[in-house]
Amino acid sequence: MPTHKLASSTVTDLTGYIERVTYTNEENGFTVAQVNVEGKDDLVTVVGTLMGPTPGEFLKMRGEWTLHPKFGEQFKLRHYETTIPTTVDGICKYLGSGMIRGIGPEMARRITRRFGHQTLEVITHSPRRLTEVEGIGPKRIEMIQRAWNDQKDIRDVMIFLQSIGIGAGYAARIFKQYGPSSIRVVRENPFRLAEEVTGIGFKTADRIARTLGFDKNSAFRARAGIIYVLNRMAEEGDVYCPAPLLISKSEELLGVDCGIVESALAHICAEKKIIVESITAPEAAGSSENNRAVYLSHFYHCETFIADKLVALDRIVPDIGRIDLDDVLLQSQRRLGIKLAPSQVSAVKSAMARKVLVITGGPGTGKTTIIHMIVQICARLGMKALLAAPTGRAAKRMHEATGHEARTIHRLLEFSFQQGGFQRNEETPLDCQYLIIDEASMIDTVLMAHLLKAVALDTTLILVGDVHQLPSVGAGNILGDIIASGRFAMVRLKEIFRQASASRIVVNAHRINQGKMPDLSSPTGKTDFYFREREDAEDALTFVVNLVVDHIPRVFGLDPVKDIQVLSPMHRGKAGAQNLNRALQEALNAHAEGVLHGDHRLRVNDKVMQVKNNYDKEVFNGDLGQVYRIDPEARQVMILFDGRPIVYDFSELNEVTLAYAISIHKSQGSEYPAVVIPLLTAHYVLLQRNLIYTAITRGKQLVVVVGSKKALAMAIHNDKTKKRYTRLKSRLTASYQNRKN
């Protein structure tokens, strides 16, 4: 019996190579790995901080044995160093891990079978000998040699970074950003990493700084902490932060005195990284915390530009000449075979009479019909109309409903990574008389600023959206603030039209929006809205998986991957998106092939979502795709987005995540044939009316809510959404009042 089978607090040294990574958290480095330890027959479970762990990495570890009540014996890591592996098995695993482009697991086995312990020596000094291995020719040797030389170039950097607790994954990113200057940059100011290196946040940079001996009162640290707090607030939707709140949050994060934070605040203000704006009465009345608004500079410039441009547009009076709008409307209705309701007629007339118009209403109230009518009238009058939406799915839906081309806002503005930004701007505005934007509630402050830069003053801007949905994922509350300002023409649609009124989805969505419980009855025969009561999270998860895998495909004939989307209020928890993804992946796509990424394994045919804008690849936050091919030797994954193949290097996989289940926030702007919504009291932190309303309105043919009536009631009765710190409404209101005076 091995001597280590009993847990012990005695510090022990072990050496071995990583066989596989079970779990790793990219932000804090917490890792569970299976390690092939010298002298042990079984793999050892190692738990602790390993930054960027890679299969094949050889570890010199110090720690102690522990006994986990659920997972059994583990080696708890205190300290480690990584080196190039020395055993043949370790070398094989190292080469086959994907670190060296051109060598996959099978090729690694062939090479190590031929050269054994001399493998790394051969690759370094005699790479031409690799032709002795079947399947390796001159081109592959060049690829391997380039990749190996790149590894040699960063070895010094990696050794240094590993000495301060940073592993291969992050070392490669740091080297990519700073090259040979990496060690100097990290030694001088490790907090630069938080702003300049993808995936390294303030907390990781702070840990590196502590290892290097930086004082907690360091000015570099205080400045980085303030920027971190502002960025975190922006991620939660705030465009600015009240100064006292920012100082308080920064003090709490940094554990330093107020004076150090104030000094750092003044310094980064002088550097123009932030802008501090005084807020005078009456806006600040009764709220002492609102006397100074602190903005990250780009948010300030975006918000002020949006206000100025919208006001400038609205001051222009359209010249419609001798057009008889009543006659044009009558003829267009006859041509399309429809009859507009009075509210829809008002909307179309306002579109001809004002330069800025907002059309808002819930599902089934005829927003799309109005868009279609405006497009037809523009065509008849010889005016050009452009249509766009924030997401690809919303643009596609807009095109299908109107028969008119619609694009994402990013494609409309012709973003070019190579040319460094949006090609449509103030110098090269959009060529149109009408610009119609659907799903406007999704537009955040930065995107709205870019959009308005491309809008000429002779263009009419029409924003269409449902103000009762969730606000944008990004910072701001653009549609809500524009409506609340009272500055612009607005048509609010309330009437549900006959065809839509037959849908229980539509009827229940409006009931929820009015603060009423939806109809939860189960009528005989098929319908489009169901509630299935499950109180326990485990039961709910099992039921959701069964619905997606078996029941809905069998009864409704829908594809479980392409047609059904699970929407969860939360990422974490038993019935959160992360856990649901694991369960659904195992049920729908359980084959073992794939590539480990974070705490999950991507497999061919997996449903995935892009989680950040990538302008170079032209895929954007929220786009859904499907894994088509994984190439371990080239270290690449090909993903199809609407049939368009996009290639990702393994190092770029932090941009995608499994998407069998996604958060409700990520579903904005999209519609799916069927949605399944787990809803439990455990989700209480996020249970709000607009969240549930948004989720239910994502379903076109079928909505199934699985969970607790109590949780549903909690959500419906909670219409107090988090107030976002934004001054757009105030700027627009002030402009309106000044004009009246």
Side-chain angles (χ1 to χ4, degrees):
M1 182 175 183
T3 57
H4 66 268
K5 282 295 180 183
L6 294 177
S8 170
S9 60
T10 304
V11 175
T12 305
D13 292 326
L14 294 179
T15 58
Y17 64 84
I18 298 174
E19 179 72 30
R20 62 178 178 271
V21 180
T22 305
Y23 171 81
T24 185
N25 183 310
E26 291 190 356
E27 175 63 25
N28 60 27
F30 177 76
T31 297
V32 180
Q34 302 300 309
V35 178
N36 196 322
V37 172
E38 292 179 349
K40 306 296 181 188
D41 294 330
D42 299 327
L43 294 177
V44 171
T45 301
V46 173
V47 178
T49 300
L50 281 168
M51 302 305 295
T54 304
E57 277 189 292
F58 195 82
L59 304 179
K60 293 182 179 179
M61 302 170 286
R62 172 161 288 189
E64 61 263 350
W65 294 102
T66 62
L67 195 62
H68 191 281
K70 181 176 180 181
F71 300 111
E73 185 186 51
Q74 299 177 337
F75 186 74
K76 188 175 181 181
L77 203 61
R78 284 190 177 186
H79 174 73
Y80 76 99
E81 295 177 7
T82 68
T83 65
I84 298 296
T86 55
T87 66
V88 174
D89 283 346
I91 293 170
C92 182
K93 198 75 175 178
Y94 180 74
L95 292 179
S97 69
M99 293 185 71
I100 309 300
R101 192 181 298 275
I103 302 179
E106 176 56 33
M107 190 58 69
R109 282 190 286 271
R110 293 185 203 170
I111 294 171
T112 51
R113 272 200 303 265
R114 175 67 185 84
F115 299 112
H117 288 90
Q118 294 182 316
T119 296
L120 301 184
E121 181 74 14
V122 168
I123 295 174
T124 303
H125 299 295
S126 307
R128 295 298 162 188
R129 288 192 62 193
L130 291 172
T131 55
E132 299 172 24
V133 178
E134 182 187 354
I136 296 185
K139 287 187 177 179
R140 182 168 292 206
I141 287 176
E142 288 180 15
M143 184 190 301
I144 293 170
Q145 197 170 10
R146 275 198 307 271
W148 186 249
N149 288 337
D150 288 343
Q151 289 296 313
K152 285 171 58 182
D153 288 342
I154 71 170
R155 199 158 297 147
D156 287 345
V157 174
M158 289 178 71
I159 290 171
F160 164 70
L161 292 173
Q162 287 163 7
S163 73
I164 56 175
I166 300 297
Y170 283 157
R173 295 183 195 177
I174 293 169
F175 186 83
K176 184 178 180 180
Q177 178 71 26
Y178 303 116
S181 302
S182 297
I183 295 175
R184 177 184 58 79
V185 168
V186 173
R187 283 193 183 280
E188 289 178 357
N189 181 11
F191 296 102
R192 283 181 60 181
L193 304 179
E195 292 187 50
E196 299 169 357
V197 179
T198 302
I200 296 183
F202 171 79
K203 292 183 178 179
T204 298
D206 196 29
R207 185 174 56 76
I208 295 170
R210 287 198 304 273
T211 304
L212 291 170
F214 273 70
D215 189 279
K216 79 169 188 176
N217 294 325
S218 160
F220 287 139
R221 181 171 184 262
R223 295 167 200 165
I226 291 170
I227 297 296
Y228 171 77
V229 170
L230 287 171
N231 277 314
R232 285 299 299 269
M233 292 196 67
E235 289 170 6
E236 294 173 5
D238 297 307
V239 182
Y240 75 88
C241 181
L245 180 60
L246 175 61
I247 291 168
S248 172
K249 282 180 172 286
S250 299
E251 284 182 59
E252 182 181 355
L253 171 73
L254 298 166
V256 299
D257 293 337
C258 174
I260 292 173
V261 175
E262 286 276 18
S263 176
L265 194 63
H267 189 278
I268 54 179
C269 185
E271 290 182 325
K272 298 186 178 178
K273 290 183 178 179
I274 63 171
I275 291 175
V276 181
E277 182 179 43
S278 296
I279 304 176
T280 56
E283 186 181 348
S287 179
S288 59
E289 73 170 8
N290 279 335
N291 58 348
R292 286 187 298 161
V294 183
Y295 288 82
L296 289 167
S297 292
H298 65 285
F299 283 122
Y300 175 83
H301 293 304
C302 285
E303 187 179 83
T304 53
F305 175 79
I306 291 167
D308 292 344
K309 185 62 175 279
L310 284 174
V311 169
L313 271 173
D314 194 55
R315 283 177 176 159
I316 298 170
V317 179
D319 180 12
I320 59 174
R322 298 180 179 180
I323 297 173
D324 185 338
L325 281 182
D326 290 324
D327 181 62
V328 169
L329 270 168
L330 183 63
Q331 296 301 325
S332 296
Q333 288 177 84
R334 285 175 179 170
R335 186 176 297 106
L336 294 175
I338 60 174
K339 181 173 177 58
L340 297 180
S343 58
Q344 293 175 311
V345 171
S346 174
V348 175
K349 286 186 174 182
S350 295
M352 300 293 139
R354 299 291 294 269
K355 299 297 286 184
V356 179
L357 171 66
V358 176
I359 301 172
T360 184
T365 56
K367 299 189 297 295
T368 303
T369 301
I370 294 170
I371 294 173
H372 195 186
M373 182 62 68
I374 293 171
V375 169
Q376 292 299 317
I377 291 175
C378 285
R380 186 178 179 196
L381 298 178
M383 296 186 292
K384 184 177 180 181
L386 292 177
L387 277 59
T391 67
R393 283 177 170 261
K396 184 178 180 181
R397 191 171 72 249
M398 204 178 184
H399 166 68
E400 291 169 348
T402 64
H404 193 83
E405 181 188 11
R407 287 172 278 180
T408 64
I409 294 174
H410 288 88
R411 291 197 173 99
L412 179 78
L413 300 181
E414 299 174 17
F415 186 90
S416 169
F417 184 81
Q418 290 77 15
Q419 298 180 58
F422 292 104
Q423 301 308 294
R424 291 291 183 175
N425 48 42
E426 290 165 301
E427 285 72 40
T428 54
L430 295 166
D431 178 20
C432 62
Q433 284 74 50
Y434 277 79
L435 176 60
I436 306 173
I437 304 296
D438 200 7
E439 296 288 355
S441 63
M442 293 184 65
I443 303 176
D444 62 34
T445 299
V446 174
L447 185 57
M448 188 65 173
H450 283 297
L451 177 67
L452 288 174
K453 285 178 183 177
V455 176
L457 289 176
D458 62 351
T459 296
T460 293
L461 175 65
I462 301 175
L463 300 174
V464 183
D466 187 344
V467 75
H468 296 295
Q469 287 186 25
L470 291 166
S472 59
V473 174
N477 185 25
I478 296 296
L479 184 63
D481 284 349
I482 289 173
I483 291 173
S485 73
R487 177 70 173 75
F488 306 99
M490 185 187 72
V491 176
R492 194 183 296 272
L493 304 171
K494 297 181 179 179
E495 179 184 354
I496 305 175
F497 291 96
R498 187 187 310 167
Q499 186 176 358
S501 66
S503 166
R504 295 183 80 214
I505 295 174
V506 172
V507 171
N508 280 333
H510 283 273
R511 287 182 63 84
I512 288 169
N513 194 29
Q514 295 161 9
K516 302 174 183 177
M517 284 289 284
D519 178 4
L520 303 181
S521 63
S522 298
T524 56
K526 286 185 183 178
T527 183
D528 62 358
F529 183 95
Y530 295 89
F531 178 83
R532 292 293 179 259
E533 192 162 13
R534 293 292 185 279
E535 296 288 342
D536 179 72
E538 190 73 50
D539 289 346
L541 182 142
T542 302
F543 191 78
V544 166
V545 171
N546 182 63
L547 280 173
V548 174
V549 174
D550 176 60
H551 185 78
I552 293 176
R554 178 165 43 82
V555 176
F556 293 89
L558 296 173
D559 185 276
V561 176
K562 295 179 181 177
D563 297 332
I564 305 172
Q565 186 61 61
V566 178
L567 304 178
S568 177
M570 298 180 74
H571 287 285
R572 301 186 184 278
K574 183 68 72 174
Q578 290 181 359
N579 211 32
L580 282 160
N581 270 317
R582 294 189 193 100
L584 288 164
Q585 184 191 45
E586 286 305 308
L588 292 167
N589 196 25
H591 61 83
E593 296 177 10
V595 56
L596 186 71
H597 169 56
D599 61 346
H600 61 266
R601 186 173 295 277
L602 285 183
R603 299 165 176 164
V604 172
N605 295 323
D606 270 339
K607 184 178 185 179
V608 295
M609 172 180 277
Q610 179 79 10
V611 294
K612 63 182 291 188
N613 290 334
N614 188 317
Y615 300 104
D616 187 24
K617 298 181 188 297
E618 292 191 354
V619 286
F620 304 104
N621 192 352
D623 286 353
L624 289 176
Q626 193 165 15
V627 177
Y628 180 71
R629 187 170 66 236
I630 297 174
D631 188 339
E633 293 188 6
R635 300 184 72 248
Q636 291 178 338
V637 175
M638 180 182 287
I639 300 174
L640 298 180
F641 289 93
D642 286 329
R644 189 167 60 100
I646 303 295
V647 175
Y648 291 78
D649 189 84
F650 282 3
S651 64
E652 298 175 309
L653 290 179
N654 62 314
E655 295 187 11
V656 297
T657 188
L658 289 175
Y660 298 99
I662 63 175
S663 69
I664 295 171
H665 282 85
K666 287 289 188 182
S667 72
Q668 288 176 263
S670 297
E671 281 188 348
Y672 314 94
V675 299
V676 178
I677 308 164
L679 195 65
L680 301 159
T681 52
H683 299 145
Y684 71 92
V685 176
L686 290 174
L687 292 181
Q688 294 177 344
R689 185 185 300 173
N690 61 353
L691 187 85
I692 304 308
Y693 175 77
T694 299
I696 287 173
T697 54
R698 300 310 89 200
K700 291 167 62 178
Q701 302 172 32
L702 178 67
V703 171
V704 184
V705 180
V706 178
S708 158
K709 289 180 181 178
K710 181 180 179 182
L712 182 59
M714 288 168 62
I716 292 169
H717 295 141
N718 179 16
D719 64 343
K720 296 177 182 177
T721 57
K722 175 186 175 292
K723 178 186 180 298
R724 292 188 169 192
Y725 289 110
T726 150
R727 297 202 63 229
L728 180 59
K729 173 192 169 185
S730 302
R731 297 182 199 282
L732 294 172
T733 302
S735 169
Y736 184 48
Q737 291 172 341
N738 291 340
R739 189 181 73 162
K740 289 197 300 184
N741 295 335

